[in-house]
Amino acid sequence: MAIKDYMVIDIAKPVNTYANLTDYFQGRVGDAEAYCKLWIKFGTRPIDMTGKKLRFEGNDPNNTPFIDCGRFDAGDDGDPQLGMVTFYFPQGIFQVEGKWQNAFFKLQDQNGSDISSINLELKVLPNNVEMGITIHPFEPDLERVKTQINQA
């Protein structure tokens, strides 16, 4: 496992208020299941991610909010017990190119308690190859469940 491939996400919120994802991840408009390797820590201690949820939240360049997005697993070479995970961004989240505002990861433990990371700088690249092809809009799980209930 190449530790340098993992971006450290320190939920202790050290002095820095921003972390730049660009060296570890650059999304592209229309990406689905794009991933980033993360090492979740509290200070210098790795956090055991077993049984926890990790979500991404932020406002895209059009100021459209995305809440409780994504999922994680061990990936090819990670170890969730050591906080080393691969985070997957969901299909439809990268709809426009540019810089995301107020983006962060949110960790939820088994008791439902949340703690967020510092703000992240995230840039989404354009997709000039597929310009004009409609991408599928992002639909949060909660909205999908509401639609299913209303159709029943």
Side-chain angles (χ1 to χ4, degrees):
M1 132 183 28
I3 291 177
K4 66 178 175 55
D5 295 336
Y6 285 81
M7 178 176 184
V8 173
I9 300 295
D10 187 352
I11 61 169
K13 297 186 185 82
V15 177
N16 293 335
T17 57
Y18 279 91
N20 190 345
L21 270 177
T22 306
D23 292 339
Y24 299 88
F25 174 79
Q26 290 186 22
R28 183 175 301 280
V29 171
D31 277 354
E33 292 290 301
Y35 67 90
C36 180
K37 294 182 176 196
L38 304 174
W39 195 354
I40 312 300
K41 294 183 173 188
F42 188 91
T44 59
R45 295 177 311 185
I47 294 179
D48 183 352
M49 296 296 290
T50 306
K52 294 181 174 62
K53 293 180 182 179
L54 184 66
R55 298 289 190 249
F56 175 79
E57 298 192 4
N59 294 330
D60 75 5
N62 286 343
N63 208 31
T64 302
F66 289 84
I67 299 172
D68 284 343
C69 305
R71 64 180 182 82
F72 76 91
D73 62 25
D76 295 333
D77 59 357
D79 185 341
Q81 289 182 321
L82 295 177
M84 300 176 90
V85 298
T86 300
F87 183 84
Y88 300 89
F89 293 90
Q91 177 178 355
I93 193 168
F94 300 128
Q95 298 179 15
V96 294
E97 70 175 285
K99 183 179 170 186
W100 280 62
Q101 305 294 317
N102 304 314
F104 58 92
F105 287 104
K106 183 169 67 173
L107 178 66
Q108 186 178 71
D109 67 17
Q110 297 91 330
N111 299 322
S113 299
D114 293 332
I115 186 166
S116 63
S117 71
I118 60 174
N119 285 340
L120 304 167
E121 184 173 319
L122 171 63
K123 294 180 184 172
V124 176
L125 303 171
N127 184 338
N128 295 328
V129 174
E130 298 174 350
M131 269 179 49
I133 298 173
T134 304
I135 60 173
H136 300 287
F138 176 76
E139 181 181 20
D141 292 339
L142 179 60
E143 293 302 318
R144 193 172 312 128
V145 170
K146 284 181 185 177
T147 301
Q148 290 171 347
I149 291 171
N150 289 335
Q151 291 176 348

